[in-house]
Amino acid sequence: MSLGVLGAGAFGTALAITLSQKGPMTLWARDPAQAHQMARDRTNAARLPGVALPDRLTVTSDLTDLDALDTVLVAVPLQKLRAFLEEARRPLTGKTLVACCKGMELRTGLGPLEIMAEVCPESPRALLTGPSFARDIAQGLPTALTLACTDEDQCIALQQALSNNTLRLYRTGDVIGAALGGALKNVIAIACGAAIGAGLGESARAALMTRGHAEMQRLAAHKGADPTTLFGLSGFGDLVLTATSAQSRNYRFGLSIGTGAAFDPAATVEGAATAQAVAAYAKAQGIDLPISSAVAALVEKRLDVEDAMTALLSRSLKEE
């Protein structure tokens, strides 16, 4: 299986670095200047500074360099995925596409595999998700992820091709549950960051994580997924990592909301748009997702943290 990675952000670069252990690897960057810098200096100075690119890793900005590949990992932000796939549809035709992004599209509420199905219906699809930070993967630190695919034989082949001695993949056929876990944990991480930033304490964070996980299961069940999938790496595991570490952009974004500090507008915060998409869907479907709805209100600046917590704590008492 010949592999390549589309997207030279931190995560795409990290995947290309670790997968190059198994053979030649191609990493595509949209910006020709970035691709030139990476090829010349053998590091991604903008996104993953201090980590060397292996000799077997080729960096390019030319999509035709993907023609010889049969499997492509697509590591572009979820909100930009549709436009990118429409632009790159011809060179991607017939290739197996592995989505490496998390979230729900703001306009449609669709996840990565659903977007791929609409834009590239002829391409086999899979999803790589779970608890991971780019720097950990790039530095060869032990990481376990979920590989979701409805075709079991294809999933087994991808699992073998994408696993190595530090990156371990577990497979599932529940593509809806795996995608929702990766999307919704970012929303809950924003809530947790906001609570900590506002000085509400660790107990508040624990409550938000626990009740947020219940929301994740509730939405998964409504969409036809197996709620137990949300107890695995792509749900509970990813939630724990993202809601407790300052390496998480979503958690840091929540911290900035809680403290009132400015946040880098160039940083990708998938949970912000996902919260808005989830809140709109929940309202239309009559699903009770109070934490996700509160995060959407925070993102849209319709509520501050104090008002959001007051609204959550004043809800009717009930059985867990």
Side-chain angles (χ1 to χ4, degrees):
M1 184 181 295
S2 54
L3 301 171
V5 178
L6 284 172
F11 193 64
T13 302
L15 288 173
I17 288 172
T18 191
L19 292 174
S20 67
Q21 295 177 17
K22 304 183 76 169
M25 175 64 53
T26 300
L27 173 63
W28 178 86
R30 175 181 291 277
D31 182 1
Q34 182 192 13
H36 176 74
Q37 175 274 310
M38 292 174 65
R40 181 193 65 210
D41 301 338
R42 306 310 298 169
T43 185
N44 188 341
R47 301 293 186 179
L48 207 59
V51 180
L53 303 183
D55 291 339
R56 287 192 287 189
L57 174 56
T58 300
V59 185
T60 182
S61 59
D62 187 348
L63 282 170
T64 62
D65 288 338
L66 306 177
D67 289 347
L69 307 178
D70 53 47
T71 301
V72 178
L73 283 69
V74 184
V76 301
L78 189 283
Q79 303 304 323
K80 298 179 180 179
L81 179 61
R82 182 182 298 274
F84 170 76
L85 291 175
E86 289 173 347
E87 174 188 338
R89 181 183 296 158
R90 189 207 60 76
L92 294 181
T93 298
K95 300 185 187 303
T96 297
L97 304 180
V98 181
C100 302
C101 50
K102 304 171 183 178
M104 295 174 66
E105 193 174 38
L106 183 57
R107 181 175 61 84
T108 66
L110 298 180
L113 293 184
E114 295 164 310
I115 295 171
M116 285 181 167
E118 285 193 355
V119 182
C120 303
E122 73 289 344
S123 295
R125 297 172 293 278
L127 174 70
L128 186 64
T129 185
S132 57
F133 288 135
R135 187 165 292 275
D136 290 351
I137 292 176
Q139 292 179 333
L141 299 178
T143 303
L145 298 176
T146 296
L147 181 68
C149 182
T150 56
D151 183 322
E152 185 175 10
D153 290 339
Q154 181 187 47
C155 202
I156 292 173
L158 286 170
Q159 181 186 36
Q160 294 173 343
L162 301 178
S163 297
N164 59 31
N165 59 348
T166 59
L167 184 63
R168 181 177 177 85
L169 271 56
Y170 291 82
R171 65 182 185 271
T172 179
D174 184 6
V175 295
I176 298 175
L180 285 175
L184 297 178
K185 59 88 184 181
N186 284 333
V187 178
I188 307 306
I190 292 174
C192 291
I196 294 299
L200 300 180
E202 299 286 353
S203 296
R205 171 162 55 184
L208 287 167
M209 289 177 66
T210 305
R211 298 311 305 161
H213 191 244
E215 287 191 17
M216 293 164 65
Q217 296 172 66
R218 198 176 305 137
L219 183 58
H222 179 84
K223 282 183 164 283
D226 181 353
T228 62
T229 299
L230 280 299
F231 286 94
L233 290 165
S234 59
F236 176 74
D238 214 354
L239 174 63
V240 169
L241 183 70
T242 310
T244 61
S245 174
Q247 289 192 65
S248 162
R249 290 188 297 268
N250 290 278
Y251 178 71
R252 294 201 310 272
F253 178 67
L255 282 174
S256 73
I257 293 175
T259 61
F263 189 79
D264 180 4
T268 299
V269 183
E270 292 286 17
T274 297
Q276 295 171 283
V278 168
Y281 181 84
K283 183 177 181 180
Q285 297 292 317
I287 312 171
D288 187 29
L289 302 177
I291 298 174
S292 300
S293 297
V295 172
L298 289 173
V299 168
E300 296 167 0
K301 299 183 179 180
R302 292 185 283 109
L303 286 179
D304 59 24
V305 176
E306 183 178 353
D307 290 338
M309 289 303 299
T310 298
L312 290 172
L313 291 173
S314 63
R315 285 168 51 85
S316 299
L317 300 175
K318 63 178 184 178
E319 186 176 9
E320 184 170 26

